[in-house]
Amino acid sequence: MNTGSDESGGAAVASEGTHVSKARDDGERALGSRAPEFVKARRLLHLSWQVGVFIIGLAVVGAGIVMLPLPGPGWVVIFGGMAIWATEFVWAQLVLRWTKRKVTEAAQRALDPRVRRRNIVLTSVGLVIIAVLVGIYVWKFGVVMPWKIKDQ
């Protein structure tokens, strides 16, 4: 497990006057463990903390995967589990940053006036095609209720 430390098997602990990693100027937090200092200071406690965070994150991600084909906010729950993992593991922090960057880029592209105009035109054409198909169906077969009102 990568805890963000320079030594293999050691916890990421900063001595006085030094920093494990600095936060970036663009608002992103520093990489590494977010465990309390008293947990990071004790190797066995920190390892137990990481195992607990991993199990909780795995349960949340597993629930999200189950929700993908079933009713429920699957992707939101999966990203919630990734956020839980990101509190402790550098690899999850990097994946979460990459995902946030891609979502922001997609949102910016969607707000582009040319893309919005194209989407509005395509939606309008699709709605016209559906309206024509429904009109043809009603003209050919009429409106038939799924129950018989006259027999009651």
Side-chain angles (χ1 to χ4, degrees), residues 48-110:
S48 301
W49 179 275
Q50 287 181 326
V51 169
V53 167
F54 182 79
I55 290 172
I56 291 170
L58 185 64
V60 172
V61 169
I65 290 171
V66 168
M67 286 184 203
L68 287 176
L70 299 175
W75 285 111
V76 173
V77 173
I78 288 172
F79 289 127
M82 288 296 295
I84 291 171
W85 278 338
T87 63
E88 197 57 37
F89 303 108
V90 173
W91 61 267
Q93 293 169 3
L94 295 174
V95 168
L96 213 52
R97 282 184 183 179
W98 179 83
T99 304
K100 286 179 184 178
R101 190 170 45 253
K102 291 298 180 185
V103 166
T104 303
E105 289 172 6
Q108 291 300 323
R109 280 194 311 268

Side-chain angles (χ1 to χ4, degrees), residues 84-145:
I84 291 171
W85 278 338
T87 63
E88 197 57 37
F89 303 108
V90 173
W91 61 267
Q93 293 169 3
L94 295 174
V95 168
L96 213 52
R97 282 184 183 179
W98 179 83
T99 304
K100 286 179 184 178
R101 190 170 45 253
K102 291 298 180 185
V103 166
T104 303
E105 289 172 6
Q108 291 300 323
R109 280 194 311 268
L111 294 176
D112 181 27
R114 291 181 298 165
V115 174
R116 290 187 70 198
R117 200 169 24 252
R118 181 198 66 200
N119 289 345
I120 289 171
V121 167
L122 289 175
T123 302
S124 301
V125 168
L127 288 174
V128 167
I129 290 172
I130 289 172
V132 167
L133 292 174
V134 167
I136 291 172
Y137 179 84
V138 168
W139 174 69
K140 181 113 174 137
F141 299 106
V143 178
V144 179
M145 297 300 227

